[in-house]
Amino acid sequence: MFQQEAGLPAGSGQTEATFPLQRNGYSRNKDRAFTRQQVVAEVVDTLTSGSGCGIVLVGDHGAGKSFIAQRAIEQLGDEYLVVQVRGSSISSKLPYGALSVLLNDLDASHLEHPLMVLRGLIQLLHSKSEGRRIVLFVDNAHDLDELSSMMVAQLSAGAHVTLLAACVDMPHVGGDIMGLWKDDLLRRVDLGPFDFAETAATLNHEYGGRFSLGAARALWSASGGNALFLHSLAREQIKLGTVVRQDGVWFLGNGPIALTGEIRDVVKARLNRLGTGQRDVFELLALAGAVPLQTLMLIANPQDMDALQERSLIRVTHDHPPMVRVANPVTAGIVASVVPPGRSAELRRRLTAVLQDAEALQAGEATGVSWALDCGEQVSPDVALAAARTANSSSDPAAALRFVQEAEGSDPAALMAIESVKAHISVNNEESARRVLDTLDEAACRELPLAEWTALQLLRAELDKRSSAPAGDPRTRLQELADRLLAASAEHSPAVEAAREQLRLAEAGLAAFQGRYADVLAATDGMDTANLVSEPRLVTASLRCEAMAVTGNVVPALALGKQVLAAIASVPLPDRAAREIRGRFLLLLLLSAQFKEASAYVAEAYASAEPQTRLGGVFEIAQGVLDLHAGRLEAALSQLQAGRCQLRAQGLDALAALATAACAYAAALQGEEETAGLLLGDLAQPRTPAAWLVARLTRYFELSAQAELGQRAISVRALTVESDGDTEAAAYAPALLFLSAAARLGDRQVGQKLGSLSGRVTGPLAALCMRLAEGMREADSERLLAASKEAEASGNAVFARDAARKAVSCAHDAGNRIALRIAQRAQQSLDDKFGSPKNGMHSLTTSTLTARECEVAVRAAAGTSNRKIAEQMHVSVRTVEGHLYQVYSKLHVASRSELKDVIATPADSARLG
């Protein structure tokens, strides 16, 4: 919609033919990675196969058709001559308009009849080709005149050229070319908008470095997946500083995507190409946000509405009543911003003239209220308040504050203060929120109706929860509310019942935040989980799900979580509630090591059309955590760094700490000790209080990173202490997470504790820990290897690596040469996945060989002679031979070839010397 194909300005009359094709600079980057390489490969295969007449690329303006064609042409060899012609809106009105440059080379006598034109073109092309095969690239084939279309089809059908065409849609390419497609002589490839994964990959390839998921998704949503829009937006945001680069990653800074510059010019150009009536409809909808269908039909020509709908520029919802709005909200925002004030006021007068209730448009749509204010109209306090609520619900705090300001001074002030505080809290501006509450008279607040006083108490409790000051006591705030409701125990009014439900939710939420999960279960006991039909019930069920999982009932908790996720699809929720529910479920998947399920959940969430504001902050780093556990450390580091920067920019310090700890663990696993150390040092900085579960996962990654940095004994003790503390608090799932790490790093005694704790938790992780504990207890390398394989299959390569190391140690202690070789190979395969030079020698240096013996072993396995090893290590040959004797004995090998099977790490990457 309003998109322009790269390389040709809207409305241009340019036509061209090129021998050979000018490649517009793309050839400079022909070896550079790009999205949709598979499509390019299909195009090349079709052009070179010799079967059929060629291929046609079909897609909207800006979908990347020309880019795909250019990249395919670059891969053709010198045996091909590429000839390019381009259709346009002007050339389409002229006979042979698109072929005019080619026809200039023909004698005038060849132009008297189409058959003579065809013969002349055939002779010209064959003369130019000098025996090479000819590829005819027809760009904007939908703008070919009838005669040009016929010539292109005849050249293709006669096998004089192989056709590569690009068009917006097939019905407009002309009957002759359409006939080739209908006869299966011309292959068709449809290019739809980029999905989110393609968008992220394109941004990473094009600009270098990793884009945070939030930045990539914001650009994806704003561009609608259109390739031209995407690159225009990205360039403009980088120029404006909306998208910021730091430490090799890109993330959103402060402020929304700015719809200015190149993309604004493109939209304006497309807007100018609409008819007068279509433009009126489109501008009106862009300014109003949404208009009832019946109302719009009173002031707009139905034919204009149909034309816009056929082009997918507007859409009609299935609401009651049906509403009409611009299909792409970003396009709507740009169009609204370029409408002159006088024309905007005129459109508003035309709309309000047919409304029975002038405020009907304003009450439910914040956009409509903004339009009224922009036109200098006065809006009533009730309308301003309703608009502020809508804006807060859809995560637009700036608009909410504007509407509140419009109604300042009106009664009741408490209602305006509530929306103002919500807006400040949503951008983590707690100080401003407190100042607003401080302006309210305490005595007057006590006289407020129950609903308003309840809302204020809950907001004050939320601010107390976020404060690190000792004076903040959210439980006291909630107790005051409980006392008032107790005094009204005889009442059964809707206001009292609603306040009680909100209180139960707040108490459960605070208990979960503070890690008091027994209280969460008590507060939610007896709730009807089959009747999740409102926001409080859904959020309360989500909290119960978290409490069940943390206390060990992982399987039923995840089942309830899926039930809640299914229910939110049919219940209108504010963004805040949706973020909370979705983020909480993702945390539980990570806690229970359900990595494959988590990966699918993250991919589905980012691929959805819902606004970014409905995803929790934990989504920013989830993919990095998943990559970490899968052993994809390079990807994990860049994703976690990007997420860490993004969370900091959003003011989400608590989640940024979790990202920092996970990033430190990934760096340590990769052998980047200095980076890991700096990240661990950053964790000591003061931060906003974190939710209990977030803090536990942060601590887990922190201790795991320390263990990888050589502080194994200290970390094992610390992990065990953390597990004991959680066990005492009946938080068995986090306790299992800590103890499983300690067992993988520690001795058989820790493994025995792990077996006991595993029985208190349900789910795959608990079963896996039980197998690990049994293998350690019995010193059974086969069981340990089985646990390792199961962990790797579940996406937990870290667990698998550690279990394989245990198998190597057990097989060595048992003197089982065959089992040792099998375990060593399994361990080596997993160590290689992590890529750290230290990983390849880990079990040798810690449980089997001395450091000196390991150094000799690695050099010998690499094929270095004893004499050369002696020279490199500055020792005698006899000393090297002595070390090798000990190595062979300890590793149960008899030759260098067998030693090479055990140690695959090359000497030059082993940090020797």
Side-chain angles (χ1 to χ4, degrees), residues 19 125 169 209 240 276 286 299 305 329 374 397 399 407-408 439 470 489 511 731 750 857 873 876:
F19 303 92
L125 292 173
D169 53 22
L240 295 172
T276 302
I299 56 176
M305 296 169 57
D374 291 341
E408 279 183 348
T439 62
S489 58
V750 182
M873 297 180 62
S876 68

Side-chain angles (χ1 to χ4, degrees), residues 701-782:
F701 285 125
E702 179 185 14
L703 292 176
S704 297
Q706 290 175 0
E708 290 293 328
L709 293 178
Q711 305 174 37
R712 180 174 296 263
I714 296 174
S715 298
V716 168
R717 286 196 296 271
L719 287 163
T720 305
V721 168
E722 297 288 352
S723 176
D724 290 343
D726 287 349
T727 300
E728 186 175 347
Y732 298 123
L736 182 65
L737 197 64
F738 282 106
L739 195 60
S740 68
R744 299 195 312 267
L745 300 170
D747 55 21
R748 189 176 301 179
Q749 184 177 359
V750 182
Q752 291 175 349
K753 292 183 65 176
L754 179 66
S756 175
L757 182 59
S758 299
R760 298 186 177 188
V761 182
T762 63
L765 178 61
L768 188 59
C769 289
M770 182 67 77
R771 293 185 183 89
L772 177 68
E774 291 171 351
M776 291 179 66
R777 183 180 65 245
E778 303 297 332
D780 188 335
S781 63
E782 290 187 5

Side-chain angles (χ1 to χ4, degrees), residues 1-2 31 44 73 117 212 216 219 378 381 400 558 674 701 713 862 867 876:
M1 59 199 61
F2 301 125
D31 297 327
V44 173
I73 289 168
V117 172
S212 75
L219 291 170
Q378 295 291 323
L558 292 178
E674 183 177 355
F701 285 125
R867 183 173 297 280
S876 68

Side-chain angles (χ1 to χ4, degrees), residues 583-619:
R584 179 172 291 119
F585 186 74
L586 179 55
L587 273 178
L588 298 187
L589 289 175
L590 298 179
L591 172 67
S592 57
Q594 304 267 29
F595 297 134
K596 288 190 173 181
E597 292 83 352
S599 181
Y601 180 46
V602 170
E604 180 182 356
Y606 274 100
S608 71
E610 284 196 288
Q612 167 76 17
T613 49
R614 298 176 71 83
L615 297 181
V618 71
F619 278 85

Side-chain angles (χ1 to χ4, degrees), residues 148-172:
S148 292
S149 175
M150 180 178 67
M151 289 298 123
V152 169
Q154 290 296 323
L155 288 170
S156 303
H160 302 291
V161 301
T162 301
L163 180 61
L164 170 57
C167 65
V168 171
D169 53 22
M170 288 297 292
H172 292 88

Side-chain angles (χ1 to χ4, degrees), residues 383-397:
V383 168
L385 180 61
R389 286 173 178 154
T390 301
N392 272 328
S393 178
S394 58
S395 299
D396 190 355

